[in-house]
Amino acid sequence: MASLLYRLGSFAARKAWTVIVSWVLILGIGVGAFLTLGGTLSNSFDIPGTASGAVIDELADKLPDTAGGTGTVVYKTEDGSPFTDEQKKAISDLAMSAEDLDGVARVIDPFDAQQQQDDQAQKLADGQHQITDGRAQLDAAQTQLDDGRAQLDAGLAQLTAARTQAEQAGAGSAQLAALDAQIAALNAQLAQVSAQNAQLDESRLTLDDNADQVEQGSTLLDLADGIGVVSEDGSTAIVNISFVDPRLELSEEVKQGAIDHFESAPIDGVEVDFGTDIAQGVPEIFGVGEAVGLVFAAIVLIVMLGSLLAAALPIVTAIVGVGVGVTASLAFSGVVNMASVTPVLGVMLGLAVGIDYSLFIVNRHRKQLLAGVPVRESIGLATGTSGTAVVFAGTTVIVALLALNVTGVPFLGLMGTVGAVCVAVAVLVAITLAPAILGLVGTRPLSRRARTTIGQEHAAGKPVKRMSTLRAIVTALVSVVALLIIAIPAMSMRLGLPDGSSEPSDSTSYRAFQTVDEQFGEGANGPLLVTATLDDAVSDDDLLSTQVTIAQAIADQDDVVAVAPIAASDDNTLLAFQVVPEEGPNSASTEKLVQELRTMPAIDDGITLGVAGQAAINIDISEALAGVLPLYLVVVVGLSLLIMIVVFRSLLVPLIATGGFVLSLFATYGLIVAVFQFGWGAEIIGLHSTGPILSFLPVILVGILFGLAMDYQLFLASGMREAYVHGASARDAVAQGFRAGRSVVIAAALIMVSVFGGFIFSESTIIRSIGFGLAFGVLLDAFVVRMLLMPALMHLLGRSAWWLPRWLDRILPNVDMEGAALERDHPGMKAVAVPTTTDSVPTTRTSA
């Protein structure tokens, strides 16, 4: 590997302009592809096979009108007064005309919906009054009938007795016939009374049926109390939009079209804002904070390298690499659903590793120039030695990022792929473009003063002193305990996706979220869509009672504010309900409610519930991502362990590196939870609201931080191994390798912290949390694990750190991380004495 990279670096130095022009052309092709093929970025996240996804599929089949995405438009009077009739009409007109927009299925006029709700309530109240009056009338009629029957029965008894007496007295037939006629007349009247009584009974049954319906309707109305689209004070109204396509397939053009429509006709005295479902902002790829981070990185480079030209080179090459990687990736955004955070992640990684990788090569080249090595020879040697470490460090990062595809989460796999592409481009730029530029500038990467000392014997500095065993033990213990304490908050981590409260405080989505929260309650920002699947179809006559039964069962759950039926399938086997929870979509109580609804026993032994809606979808995504984290950690660590075993030809060094990473990872989780969930010090970074941790952040951090941690592990441990294979004792090699690599690793870590730290001040909470996690993850891993814990453990292990079974040593490929082949073939790799206080004769290693 070292020899191959030596030839590549030498070629780049000789054909500098060819290499530079080639990269410029590649950058131009990437930009052109992006401009012609690129599409829009999405703020939607999806994971196949979730419970909410199954519910949405069922709705799409039987209730397609409820399966589409939704949008929220919030109108509010500027002075808090009720809407005037003119303002109501203007809003209603906009709502009605919005139904003609592309991709819009229907739009609910809030004032019409409120009027219908009021009419329904009045109708039920009138119906209840009519039923009460009807019962009173029926009771009065029944009393009259009963009195009439009693009179008729009494008269009939008298006539019957009179006829008997007349017959016994020998009355004539004419007299008996007259009595019989009177008795027949009374019986006829009694028959009429019986018929009238039957009619009253029938009317009573009808009234009872109507009363049941009114009562059930009143029950539903009571259960739905709390679901509204016009606030009680009449100052706020919500226009709900239903789109044709499901939320995850909803294009940004359709969303923007809806926003443009409602913004096209401003209403005097009324403000309009839009919910995150249609107006969640796409974060800036590069902003002021990121620029400040880049400036700080430049300052670190100038301080370390002592030359503006040398400091500018890593930044220039990193920018070229980012330009190529990000534009090439964005060119595919027209054919794949790419999350808006994906290119930002590419910029983060491309800048950070791009600067670091070029720095490693430039730093080695400068040292070799000072030692008198000719320019082109030095470029080739720097590319062959430090370039080898760059390739393997980059490979580790790429493997970790590409492994995101094994999680089975499409948007996460795409993020990892784009990140891996940007890192791969950064590696290629470092081993080709950086040597080409170095070939053009000659010895000017050195300051003028340094150039006057080229070829002279340079002082080796203070002798390298190995640490004491006691110091190693104390350092290891303190480092581990400190990281474990920092990691404690991670035990309380809750995962979720950002809602409107996480948006920038001056954004329309944040204002809409806060307005709905204040006027309609927290839960109105995250209503649930609950479906009831029936084993047997219910008749139309029994539909209302079935809806009441289901709604009551749902309302009986804790943290439910209101329930309302919204649709029923044509065959009455699928019913849909809107459920408003007590708290917002990211609250623990809402998450608990979703789980309880899904695990409820079947209602009436044949009705099962399903839950969808934005809050449920976010919960499902968070749970799925938490579930894939262990698998992903095993895959990444396993693959990277294999790479490090090959590179270091050791079993214990990779295990130490991995164990240290796990400690720094959970310490990073602890810091993220403390700031973004608990709110400790949130005001320092301008965070105005706290909540669950971004659901895919733990997985992302595993991949990126593990790769970056192994970068520093490679550069420090490869120096230690280089000293060890060149004759130093194991413990002296630890001291020599640490001294040789500490300055460049410190600079590289500070650069990464600066670049990632710049993203902490992004307006997007997603970008903030990723930048924060990466910045502090690198800080903890580089300065606590790699520069304190790892050297201490290496010292304690001594020679056993480099132990490798002979059978494994024979089958492993030789990657020549120490540049032994170059040392044999290129005498220019002059040995430099590095004295140690425990050696009577200085040990030597190759120039680095």
Side-chain angles (χ1 to χ4, degrees):
M1 175 65 77
S3 298
L4 175 63
L5 291 176
Y6 168 82
R7 291 193 295 273
L8 180 61
S10 298
F11 170 81
R14 289 195 312 273
K15 304 290 185 180
W17 282 113
T18 301
V19 174
I20 293 172
V21 171
S22 297
W23 276 110
V24 172
L25 289 174
I26 293 172
L27 178 59
I29 293 171
V31 172
F34 163 61
L35 294 176
T36 56
L37 303 176
T40 56
L41 301 176
S42 170
N43 282 306
S44 297
F45 302 97
D46 182 24
I47 295 181
T50 60
S52 54
V55 171
I56 292 173
D57 291 341
E58 188 177 22
L59 288 170
D61 181 41
K62 291 191 174 183
L63 288 171
D65 288 345
T66 63
T70 59
T72 305
V73 183
V74 181
Y75 282 99
K76 183 179 181 181
T77 57
E78 294 176 354
D79 58 2
S81 62
F83 292 106
T84 64
D85 291 339
E86 292 78 7
Q87 291 169 338
K88 290 181 179 180
K89 184 178 185 305
I91 295 171
S92 297
D93 290 345
L94 282 169
M96 291 178 61
S97 57
E99 292 191 343
D100 297 329
L101 296 175
D102 290 339
V104 173
R106 70 181 187 279
V107 180
I108 297 177
D109 175 1
F111 304 109
D112 182 54
Q114 184 66 40
Q115 187 60 51
Q116 290 182 16
Q117 187 174 356
D118 293 342
D119 291 346
Q120 181 66 19
Q122 186 61 49
K123 183 179 178 180
L124 288 171
D126 292 343
Q128 187 66 52
H129 181 70
Q130 290 172 2
I131 288 170
T132 301
D133 290 345
R135 288 189 189 280
Q137 292 173 4
L138 287 175
D139 290 342
Q142 186 67 57
T143 300
Q144 290 179 355
L145 285 176
D146 291 343
D147 291 344
R149 179 183 290 277
Q151 293 175 2
L152 290 173
D153 286 340
L156 183 62
Q158 291 176 356
L159 284 175
T160 302
R163 187 185 186 289
T164 301
Q165 291 176 359
E167 187 176 8
Q168 291 175 350
S173 58
Q175 185 179 358
L176 291 176
L179 290 173
D180 288 342
Q182 292 178 21
I183 290 172
L186 288 177
N187 283 327
Q189 292 179 25
L190 282 172
Q192 290 178 355
V193 169
S194 297
Q196 291 173 356
N197 200 76
Q199 288 179 351
L200 283 180
D201 290 341
E202 186 177 347
S203 297
R204 187 172 281 108
L205 289 174
T206 301
L207 192 64
D208 288 341
D209 288 341
N210 291 336
D212 288 341
Q213 291 184 354
V214 169
E215 183 178 355
Q216 290 169 354
S218 298
T219 301
L220 284 180
L221 192 65
D222 291 340
L223 293 175
D225 185 25
I227 298 178
V229 287
V230 178
S231 63
E232 290 184 3
D233 62 5
S235 67
T236 307
I238 300 175
V239 177
N240 288 312
I241 306 172
S242 295
F243 296 101
V244 175
D245 294 328
R247 181 187 70 91
L248 297 171
E249 299 175 13
L250 194 58
S251 69
E252 295 299 320
E253 289 83 2
V254 171
K255 295 180 185 179
Q256 191 58 48
I259 293 174
D260 292 341
H261 173 78
F262 285 97
E263 286 183 336
S264 64
I267 302 172
D268 290 339
V270 177
E271 298 174 345
V272 60
D273 288 303
F274 304 91
T276 54
D277 41 17
I278 56 174
Q280 188 169 18
V282 175
E284 286 184 320
I285 293 182
F286 196 82
V288 176
E290 294 81 353
V292 172
L294 200 58
V295 169
F296 189 82
I299 294 172
V300 173
L301 287 169
I302 293 171
V303 171
M304 179 188 177
L305 300 177
S307 164
L308 286 175
L309 181 62
L313 192 148
I315 294 178
V316 170
T317 55
I319 291 174
V320 172
V322 167
V324 171
V326 173
T327 55
S329 301
L330 284 173
F332 290 94
S333 61
V335 294
V336 296
N337 186 20
M338 185 176 290
S340 58
V341 70
T342 302
V344 181
L345 184 64
V347 171
M348 281 188 192
L349 290 174
L351 281 177
V353 302
I355 293 174
D356 278 6
Y357 291 167
S358 292
L359 168 63
F360 295 138
I361 293 174
V362 171
N363 185 59
R364 181 134 189 171
H365 173 58
R366 291 177 70 255
K367 291 184 177 182
Q368 291 170 169
L369 286 179
L370 285 173
V373 180
V375 173
R376 288 186 179 174
E377 176 75 359
S378 176
I379 293 172
L381 293 173
T383 308
T385 50
S386 291
T388 302
V390 164
V391 169
F392 277 93
T395 301
T396 306
V397 180
I398 291 168
V399 167
L401 289 170
L402 288 178
L404 285 170
N405 287 280
V406 307
T407 62
V409 181
F411 75 86
L412 205 56
L414 184 59
M415 290 173 65
T417 301
V418 169
V421 167
C422 291
V423 173
V425 172
V427 171
L428 292 174
V429 166
I431 61 177
T432 56
L433 183 59
I437 297 176
L438 289 173
L440 289 179
V441 298
T443 60
R444 280 177 290 175
L446 299 174
S447 64
R448 290 184 180 180
R449 182 177 178 182
R451 289 200 293 269
T452 63
T453 65
I454 290 177
Q456 298 178 12
E457 192 70 28
H458 292 82
K462 295 180 181 180
V464 178
K465 181 181 179 180
R466 69 165 68 161
M467 71 177 73
S468 66
T469 300
L470 177 61
R471 178 185 169 190
I473 294 173
V474 171
T475 300
L477 288 176
V478 170
S479 300
V480 170
V481 170
L483 291 172
L484 289 175
I485 291 174
I486 297 173
I488 289 175
M491 299 175 66
S492 303
M493 181 185 290
R494 287 185 57 241
L495 299 180
L497 287 172
D499 55 26
S501 65
S502 311
E503 292 292 299
S505 57
D506 59 349
S507 68
T508 183
S509 298
Y510 179 79
R511 291 193 299 269
F513 187 93
Q514 293 300 320
T515 300
V516 171
D517 192 330
E518 294 168 3
Q519 297 292 332
F520 300 94
E522 294 180 41
N525 274 306
L528 303 176
L529 179 59
V530 178
T531 60
T533 303
L534 285 65
D535 290 342
D536 299 315
V538 64
S539 66
D540 290 339
D541 293 337
D542 294 333
L543 177 60
L544 181 61
S545 62
T546 303
Q547 288 177 323
V548 171
T549 300
I550 297 170
Q552 188 63 62
I554 294 172
D556 289 341
Q557 302 302 306
D558 293 336
D559 301 310
V560 172
V561 170
V563 185
I566 56 176
S569 62
D570 292 337
D571 59 1
N572 286 348
T573 60
L574 182 66
L575 311 181
F577 298 81
Q578 181 182 0
V579 177
V580 176
E582 181 72 32
E583 296 183 297
N586 273 331
S587 67
S589 65
T590 300
E591 181 177 351
K592 180 183 176 184
L593 174 61
V594 170
Q595 304 300 349
E596 289 177 346
L597 289 174
R598 286 174 172 168
T599 56
M600 278 180 60
I603 301 171
D604 285 352
D605 298 326
I607 304 174
T608 55
L609 300 183
V611 187
Q614 185 62 59
I617 291 172
N618 290 352
I619 291 168
D620 288 342
I621 291 175
S622 300
E623 288 184 348
L625 289 171
V628 302
L629 180 59
L631 169 65
Y632 178 61
L633 188 58
V634 169
V635 171
V636 169
V637 171
L639 292 175
S640 298
L641 275 174
L642 293 177
I643 293 174
M644 286 190 290
I645 289 173
V646 172
V647 170
F648 295 124
R649 309 191 78 77
S650 163
L651 291 179
L652 293 181
V653 172
L655 290 175
I656 291 173
T658 302
F661 162 73
V662 172
L663 283 173
S664 65
L665 175 69
F666 281 95
T668 303
Y669 287 168
L671 283 175
I672 293 172
V673 171
V675 175
F676 287 85
Q677 186 173 317
F678 296 166
W680 299 350
E683 64 280 355
I684 298 175
I685 62 172
L687 187 67
H688 61 80
S689 66
T690 59
I693 304 305
L694 182 64
S695 55
F696 55 84
L697 182 59
V699 180
I700 285 286
L701 289 182
V702 169
I704 298 175
L705 287 180
F706 188 80
L708 299 180
M710 295 309 105
D711 278 4
Y712 302 128
Q713 178 71 23
L714 280 167
F715 285 106
L716 284 173
S718 61
M720 296 174 186
R721 178 163 179 80
E722 186 177 355
Y724 180 70
V725 299
H726 283 85
S729 67
R731 288 180 172 174
D732 287 341
V734 172
Q736 292 179 33
F738 181 78
R739 176 174 173 178
R742 66 184 177 186
S743 60
V744 70
V745 168
I746 288 173
L750 287 176
I751 288 168
M752 279 205 177
V753 171
S754 302
V755 173
F756 293 144
F759 288 87
I760 294 176
F761 300 96
S762 168
E763 289 188 345
S764 168
T765 300
I766 293 179
I767 304 304
R768 278 178 183 267
S769 58
I770 294 177
F772 182 92
L774 292 177
F776 281 91
V778 168
L779 191 68
L780 290 174
D781 195 90
F783 290 99
V784 179
V785 174
R786 305 304 148 196
M787 304 196 73
L788 291 176
L789 180 59
M790 192 271 292
L793 293 177
M794 293 283 287
H795 175 89
L796 293 174
L797 288 173
R799 291 185 60 185
S800 61
W802 304 108
W803 174 79
L804 186 71
R806 291 184 179 179
W807 64 269
L808 185 57
D809 185 55
R810 287 194 299 269
I811 63 176
L812 287 179
N814 184 10
V815 298
D816 192 18
M817 283 289 292
E818 300 79 34
L822 290 180
E823 183 180 1
R824 291 192 301 270
D825 300 337
H826 300 276
M829 291 188 69
K830 128 184 198 181
V832 178
V834 182
T836 63
T837 57
T838 58
D839 295 332
S840 56
V841 178
T843 59
T844 62
R845 62 178 179 82
T846 55
S847 171

